[in-house]
């Protein structure tokens, strides 16, 4: 047995003495369940995509990635599909939808992020609501003012749509 084996053996024996089997199983269960539920959290998923190829009319409500949106399109309000207009900031919380891209047939996970800090833009209202869920499933609900979580006095201006992943299966 080499030195590392002896150290590891001593460490596992002292762990076995100090920790009951039940509490070990409880901790492992907590780790597994905690790890599995992390991807469900509706927070800040939309911050990653900085630029996106233009593959359609981003000022049209029919544009593919707006399939689950409910709001004013930031691309008509001085911003872009993925960036908030000047003078506004993204809410810290997003809701998500899954939209099919017609040209490659893949389903993309889209984070919809409200931009906050100015009064409602009023242009390009778009309400598509595909697979929208009631507000008691908030990360899949679009009919909520997510600016409530921002520093911008709850003023909702428009919504951006960022690709955050490809849906598997
Ligand atoms: N998430 C868009 C939105 C903002 C304000 C009110 C309803 C919906």
């Amino acid at each position: 047995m080499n030195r590392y084996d002896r150290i590891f053996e001593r460490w596992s024996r002292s762990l076995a003495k100090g920790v009951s089997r039940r509490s070990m199983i409880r901790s492992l269960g907590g780790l597994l369940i905690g790890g599995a539920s992390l991807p469900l959290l509706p927070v800040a998923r939309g911050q990653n995509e900085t630029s996106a190829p233009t593959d359609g009319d981003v000022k049209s409500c029919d544009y593919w990635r707006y399939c689950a949106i409910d709001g004013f399109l930031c691309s008509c309000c001085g911003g872009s599909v993925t960036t908030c207009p000047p003078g506004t900031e993204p809410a810290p919380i997003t809701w998500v939808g899954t939209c099919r891209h017609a040209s490659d047939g893949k389903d993309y996970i889209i984070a919809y992020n409200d931009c906050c800090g100015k009064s409602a833009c009023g242009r390009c209202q778009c309400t598509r609501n595909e697979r929208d869920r009631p507000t008691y499933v908030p990360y899949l609900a679009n009919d909520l003012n997510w600016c409530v979580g921002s520093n911008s006095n709850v003023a909702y201006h428009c919504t951006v749509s960022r690709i955050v992943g490809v849906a598997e299966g």
Side-chain angles (χ1 to χ4, degrees):
M1 211 175 359
N2 72 26
R3 191 164 152 251
Y4 293 110
D5 288 335
R6 272 198 304 277
I7 292 171
F8 186 72
E9 185 190 5
R10 220 175 303 135
W11 176 77
S12 3
R13 282 185 191 282
S14 72
L15 187 71
K17 267 188 222 145
V19 182
S20 73
R21 197 180 310 160
R22 198 174 286 180
S23 86
M24 183 74 102
I25 290 170
R26 199 180 317 129
S27 316
L28 278 176
L31 273 177
L32 280 176
I33 291 170
S37 60
L38 269 181
L40 298 178
L41 297 175
V43 286
R45 293 163 182 224
Q47 310 294 337
N48 296 335
E49 190 185 338
T50 48
S51 65
T54 303
D55 50 3
D57 180 2
V58 297
K59 294 189 177 180
S60 161
C61 190
D62 294 332
Y63 181 55
W64 72 275
R65 63 167 93 175
Y66 298 149
C67 77
I69 207 170
D70 177 355
F72 302 114
L73 306 179
C74 286
S75 44
C76 301
C77 302
S80 74
V81 190
T82 54
T83 52
C84 288
T88 65
E89 59 170 6
I93 303 172
T94 70
W95 77 100
V96 293
T98 307
C99 301
R100 181 154 297 171
H101 194 311
S103 52
D104 66 6
K106 288 186 183 160
D107 292 317
Y108 289 85
I109 299 163
I110 311 289
Y112 299 101
N113 209 176
D114 288 346
C115 297
C116 319
K118 279 182 171 178
S119 58
C121 161
R123 287 187 293 278
C124 300
Q125 161 100 57
C126 182
T127 309
R128 298 228 343 234
N129 293 349
E130 247 176 58
R131 286 184 285 271
D132 172 39
R133 306 295 295 145
T135 49
Y136 56 78
V137 194
Y139 57 93
L140 297 177
N142 62 20
D143 199 16
L144 280 171
N145 181 357
W146 286 112
C147 292
V148 290
S150 79
N151 297 323
S152 303
N153 224 0
V154 195
Y156 165 73
H157 189 62
C158 62
T159 304
V160 293
S161 314
R162 297 180 176 122
I163 298 170
V164 290
V166 182
E168 302 285 330

